[in-house]
């Protein structure tokens, strides 16, 4: 973790793992708001399940979102070219160039001479269209084959593209999922540019956090928890950077209550995402925090176990009596843990986690 680009990508990943049930595609369904662009992606698209957010094809201004199912792989990439960076629709030169490059990449990867896609303009719901290229390769004795869909559109200064890969023998399932992918993309893209503006402001806050706050890395952090604690620290740093008021005194910062809640929420969501990818991931501490958050007691946990002397006023809405009864059974041997600290800095350059 030595570059600003990698640091911002991890910070964005941490923020992107915060999910909500408000504004879901279907009532009550968990959704994921993309850090870049503010799209609202569902937990499931047909048989495909959301896996997580990772770095995109164009550095800090793009991120990709992965879905997987048996024999199916979907990558949705969102690139922010700025409010005036690309025209809406499917005819902007920037879109056409990237669409051409994506087709070339598929051809190069298949090693099939003169492979030609079937191209069309497809509907993304009522309001939007996309360019689509479908590559189909007959299955050979070596097992190579299947289908690949490339889908490109632009809206609100965002380039949105998706790639759906279908394993040999699953073309029928791919066709079914393909239609659901088109519908999901259309529903995910905001109708107005307001969510996009909010996402840009959030990314700017992440960058400001690196200018204003130093990440003080703990070399004793367990190897399997490093990504989780780095997400925690960046979430706190982003919260601090967004605070208003007079310039703080340089030096180590004691977390406020809401800052600590933000950090632990991001950390437990990162833990869940990593656990989804690697079922063998072991962390006694975050296993406990996972149960705490699932029971609806994370704020009570922070107040009870991580209380700072500066937290004078009990936050509204805490149910400490219920939490005390719950933890007597579920947290009998729990020990609170924190790895890493943050500090205000005077230097203008972004912080690099010490010891990473």
């Amino acid at each position: 973790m030595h570059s600003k680009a990698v640091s911002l990508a991890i910070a964005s990943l941490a923020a992107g793992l915060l999910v909500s049930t408000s504004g879901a595609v279907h009532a009550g369904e968990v959704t994921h708001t993309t850090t870049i662009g503010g799209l609202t992606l569902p937990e499931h698209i047909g048989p495909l399940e959301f896996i997580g957010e990772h770095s995109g094809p164009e550095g800090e201004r793009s991120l990709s979102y992965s879905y997987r199912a048996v024999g199916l792989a979907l990558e949705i990439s969102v690139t922010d070219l700025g409010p005036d960076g690309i025209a809406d629709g499917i005819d902007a030169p920037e879109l056409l160039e990237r669409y051409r490059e994506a087709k070339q990449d598929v051809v190069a990867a298949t090693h099939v001479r003169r492979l030609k896609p079937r191209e069309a303009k497809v509907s993304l719901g009522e309001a939007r269209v996309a360019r689509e290229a479908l590559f189909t390769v007959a299955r050979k004795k070596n097992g190579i084959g299947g289908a690949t869909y490339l889908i490109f559109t632009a809206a609100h200064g965002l380039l949105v593209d998706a790639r759906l890969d279908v394993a040999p023998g699953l073309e029928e399932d791919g066709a079914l999922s393909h239609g659901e992918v088109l519908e999901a993309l259309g529903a995910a893209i905001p109708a107005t540019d307001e969510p996009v503006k909010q996402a840009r402001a959030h990314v700017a806050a992440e960058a400001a956090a690196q200018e204003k706050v130093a990440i003080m890395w703990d070399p004793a952090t367990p190897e399997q928890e490093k990504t989780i604690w780095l997400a925690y620290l960046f979430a706190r740093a982003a919260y601090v950077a967004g605070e208003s008021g007079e310039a703080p005194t340089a030096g180590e910062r004691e977390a406020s209550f809401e800052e600590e809640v933000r950090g632990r929420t991001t950390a437990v969501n990162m833990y869940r995402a990593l656990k989804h990818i690697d079922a063998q991931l072991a962390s006694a501490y975050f296993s406990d925090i996972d149960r705490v958050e699932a029971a609806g007691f994370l704020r009570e946990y922070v107040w009870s176990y991580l209380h700072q002397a500066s937290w004078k006023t009990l936050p509204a809405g805490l149910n400490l009596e219920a939490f005390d009864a719950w933890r007597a059974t579920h947290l009998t041997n729990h020990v609170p843990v924190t790895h890493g600290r943050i500090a205000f800095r005077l230097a203008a350059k972004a912080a690099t986690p010490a010891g990473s």
Side-chain angles (χ1 to χ4, degrees), residues 171-243:
E171 286 81 0
E172 183 177 345
D173 287 343
L176 172 64
S177 300
H178 159 255
E180 291 171 315
V181 168
L182 296 179
E183 180 183 356
L185 280 176
I189 298 172
T192 70
D193 65 354
E194 189 56 36
V196 182
K197 291 178 180 178
Q198 293 177 6
R200 286 176 180 140
H202 174 79
V203 171
E206 295 285 1
Q210 295 187 49
E211 298 293 334
K212 183 178 179 182
V213 183
I215 301 298
M216 303 173 70
W217 187 246
D218 180 2
T221 305
E223 181 66 31
Q224 71 273 18
E225 295 181 4
K226 284 185 175 180
T227 301
I228 302 171
W229 286 110
L230 192 57
Y232 160 82
L233 293 168
F234 271 115
R236 282 188 55 197
Y239 185 92
V240 172
E243 290 184 334

Side-chain angles (χ1 to χ4, degrees), residues 70-87:
V70 176
L72 300 172
L74 172 66
E75 294 291 328
I76 299 172
S77 296
V78 185
T79 301
D80 190 350
L81 300 178
D84 301 314
I86 188 170

Side-chain angles (χ1 to χ4, degrees), residues 212 240 245-250 253 344-346:
K212 183 178 179 182
V240 172
E246 297 181 0
T249 303
R253 173 185 171 86
F344 287 112
R345 54 181 294 154
L346 297 180

Side-chain angles (χ1 to χ4, degrees), residues 2 13 47 58 72 89 133 167 188 197 230 238 247 260 265 277 286 296 320 323 345:
H2 293 285
L13 172 59
E58 298 194 36
L72 300 172
K197 291 178 180 178
L230 192 57
E260 192 64 61
T265 300
I277 297 170
F286 283 106
L320 297 178
F323 177 59
R345 54 181 294 154

Side-chain angles (χ1 to χ4, degrees), residues 1-26:
M1 305 299 172
H2 293 285
S3 71
K4 182 174 180 179
V6 172
S7 298
L8 181 58
I10 292 177
S12 298
L13 172 59
L17 287 167
L18 294 172
V19 300
S20 68
T21 54
S22 60
V25 176
H26 302 290

Side-chain angles (χ1 to χ4, degrees), residues 27-47:
E29 181 181 348
V30 173
T31 63
H32 304 261
T33 301
T34 66
T35 304
I36 301 291
L39 277 67
T40 303
L41 296 174
E43 177 75 5
H44 295 91
I45 301 176

